[in-house]
Amino acid sequence: MKKIGLYIILLVFISCNSEKKEGEIKETQVAVSNTFLERVEPPNWWVGFTNDTLQLLVKEENIGNSKPAISYKGITINKIHKAKSNNYLFIDLTINKNTKPGKFDIVFTLNDNSKKTHTYELKPRKKSADEYIGFNSSDAIYLITPDRFANGNSKNDSFQSLKETGVDRNDDYKRHGGDLEGIINHLDYIENLGFTAIWPTPVLINDMPNASYHGYAMTDYYKVDPRFGTLDDYKKLSSELSKRGMKLIMDQVANHCGLEHWWMKDLPFDNWVNYQSHYEKNKENWSWKTVKHSNHKRTTNQDLYASEIDAKENTEGWFVSDMPDLNQRNPFMASYIIQNSIWWIETLGLGGIRQDTYPYPDKKFMANWVNAIMNEYPNFSIVGEEWSYNPLLIGYWQKGKKNRDGYQSNLKSTMDFAMQKNVVDALNEPEKWNKGLVKIYEGLANDFHYKTPKDILIFPDNHDKSRIYTQLKEDVVNTKMALATYSVLPRILQVYYGTEILMDDTAKPGDHGLIRTDFPGGWEGDKINAFTKNGLSKEQIEMQSFVSKLLTYRKKSKAIQEGKTVHFAPKEGVYVLFRKYEDEVVVLILNKNDKPYVLDLNRFKEMNLKGKTFKNIITNKTTVWQDSLLLNKKGSLLLTTKQ
């Protein structure tokens, strides 16, 4: 047996098999000589969870022929599962609630009576379950594509051991060198803008041959991509945010992995990924032409008339040819994904999870996944990506919704693509009875369909959609109107990095590489530096200031975070919305008139505001609410009773 170290021991191992209970403790012990197997995942665990079970995935050549044993007080091996591949073993453990943190050896006895050992660790939890506080309507989330934000450490730009090497900032689909350290270095900037949380797109390793920068083709669910930094860097980002009272949201993917994921070379079961046999038959000439793609018919999750084949192709088809579709109906895969999510929550002290492509995985599994997390972290938050412009579909996924099919997702938050589009249409369209600002009015009226509207996430743009400045035809006034609207709606707010300096993708609208443009000033030698304002245009500086003032106020506004919402139908190109909490009233006025317009305030007398003094949130100028208000020019007006 190969040895990598020797420890003083007092140890009695109990041999075990899949037919009998194991782990009765005879003596206390410490770790013995250790061969460190190829993989044991999760790589560690914690004591004190509500769920006292843990399933270990063990990967090692011919490990399927072995019998594992553990002798550690409080741990019992309940069952051992062999996989189709003899290089895997799955071990079901029970961890007694009184189990102490510590290290112990798992000893694997092979057929020839030789042994291999692996040291495993149970850690103490750093904080109680109740202390994991998720994001909510009080938060403004800054979404970042790490490769394109800031390069804090140029030494980690490229690794010869990885399939894609080098950086090329002139190619929108190559690596540009941004990393976790770059985000950490600019937390002051993000905090000063008024943001309370950061959502980086995935930073786990994507060891793919090309276009690996985005992070959504993971090749190891427990490893940080070294081009983004280390696990310690990831932990530091979380801890630095916590010191500021801010939260870290992790972007996770339960639907698919990258084609170069380590297990694709040796899959444990025939149904580990969907259409696995089809892939294995065509592996040598695999391409977008041979893959069985998802049909992207997400409505099959709710459709009373959906055919079985349509539903199957949505859930089981591959998202793209280099992203294998994970089969969450395989119970071992299901456990793997759930435990991985919990491992990252505990390791990083997360303030939330954003789950990618939410309607694509098996929806029964997704409900179980959310439930497993929320059972451990009752104050946690998860938002699911449902890219739909239909509020019926968005509402279906929210916890508490009484769906006709009886489905309960357990998911607190989903993404509001519908309202995002309504605001854009409202500002781009000419004013007519069925166009323009009425899109916001009628869109917000759909909130009756949502169980808790304020738990839904709204956004002007993100890493998959055109920049809001491009969507609004590079109209600065309309962009400010949009941001003001998104910020005061009864929603959680998310803003994409660079929106505050009018970044655009107008040259190629919708092109992902261009949408995810480098943030100016994030690289040494950049001629324009948005962090310092050096080289920014007057309009860009004004937009930065606008966003900072808006979000700084939002951060402390109970009216925006929790208040009652009242809005009035748009009239003559003006839309007025109120948010009220106790004595605080926030008023949003959207005015599309190019010429001066006198707004009759008597129309809003039910709000009981006459004689009250309001302050302009952006300019700090005050005005008294009387019979009328002169709107000098097109734009947004944000007023508050808080002085």
Side-chain angles (χ1 to χ4, degrees), residues 1 51 118 123 164 202 222 228 235 245 257 262 272 276 310 345 357 373 390 452 458 466 486 525 562 584 605 617 633:
M1 179 177 68
N51 181 359
H118 185 87
K123 297 183 177 182
E164 184 178 20
Y222 285 99
F228 290 137
K235 290 178 179 179
C257 64
W262 59 263
W272 193 247
Q276 184 168 317
D310 285 346
I345 294 170
T357 55
I373 292 171
N390 184 345
T452 51
I458 191 68
S466 274
Y486 293 127
E562 302 177 28
E584 181 193 4
K605 63 182 180 180
I617 291 172
K633 56 185 178 180

Side-chain angles (χ1 to χ4, degrees), residues 116-133:
K116 291 186 175 183
T117 65
H118 185 87
T119 300
Y120 200 78
E121 183 177 8
L122 291 176
K123 297 183 177 182
R125 299 179 70 182
K126 294 181 180 179
K127 54 185 181 180
S128 69
D130 290 339
E131 293 178 291
Y132 285 83
I133 308 298

Side-chain angles (χ1 to χ4, degrees), residues 31 128 136 157 159 188 347 357 370 398 439 455 483 519 524 535 590 596 611 620:
S128 69
N136 54 45
D157 285 356
F159 292 83
D188 284 344
T347 296
T357 55
V370 176
Q398 194 177 32
K439 293 290 182 69
D455 291 325
L483 290 173
F519 191 82
E524 187 176 351
L590 298 180
N620 287 325

Side-chain angles (χ1 to χ4, degrees), residues 12 36 57 162 164 270 294 312 359 389 397 471 528 607:
V12 177
F36 288 105
L57 177 156
L162 300 180
E164 184 178 20
D270 285 337
S294 170
K312 175 183 172 69
Y389 300 111
W397 296 106
Q471 292 181 57
I528 299 174
M607 302 305 298

Side-chain angles (χ1 to χ4, degrees), residues 24 156 202 330 369 413 465 524 602:
E24 297 165 354
N156 63 21
N330 179 304
W369 172 79
S413 180
K465 287 184 65 69
E524 187 176 351
N602 291 313

Side-chain angles (χ1 to χ4, degrees), residues 21 41-42 44-56 74-79 81 91-97 99 120 122 331 335-336 338-340 342-343 372 376:
K21 300 291 183 181
E41 295 179 344
N44 65 272
W45 204 241
W46 293 265
V47 296
F49 282 121
T50 300
N51 181 359
D52 63 0
T53 64
L54 175 66
Q55 184 175 90
L56 298 180
I75 297 180
T76 304
I77 295 180
N78 290 322
K79 196 168 184 180
H81 308 269
I91 308 173
D92 291 345
L93 304 180
T94 296
I95 303 171
N96 187 285
K97 65 179 181 180
T99 304
Y120 200 78
L122 291 176
S335 293
Y336 187 92
I338 290 170
Q339 291 176 168
N340 178 259
I342 292 173
W343 191 89
E376 297 295 347

Side-chain angles (χ1 to χ4, degrees), residues 43 50 127 136 253 346 351 360 451 481 512 542 553 570:
T50 300
K127 54 185 181 180
N136 54 45
V253 188
E346 203 72 24
Y360 287 87
K451 180 67 177 178
M481 291 171 75
H512 283 182
E542 287 179 352
Y553 181 83

Side-chain angles (χ1 to χ4, degrees), residues 425-426 429-440 442 570:
D425 289 346
E429 293 175 351
E431 284 301 301
K432 295 183 180 180
W433 71 271
N434 63 343
K435 290 182 180 292
L437 292 171
V438 71
K439 293 290 182 69
I440 299 176
E442 293 184 348

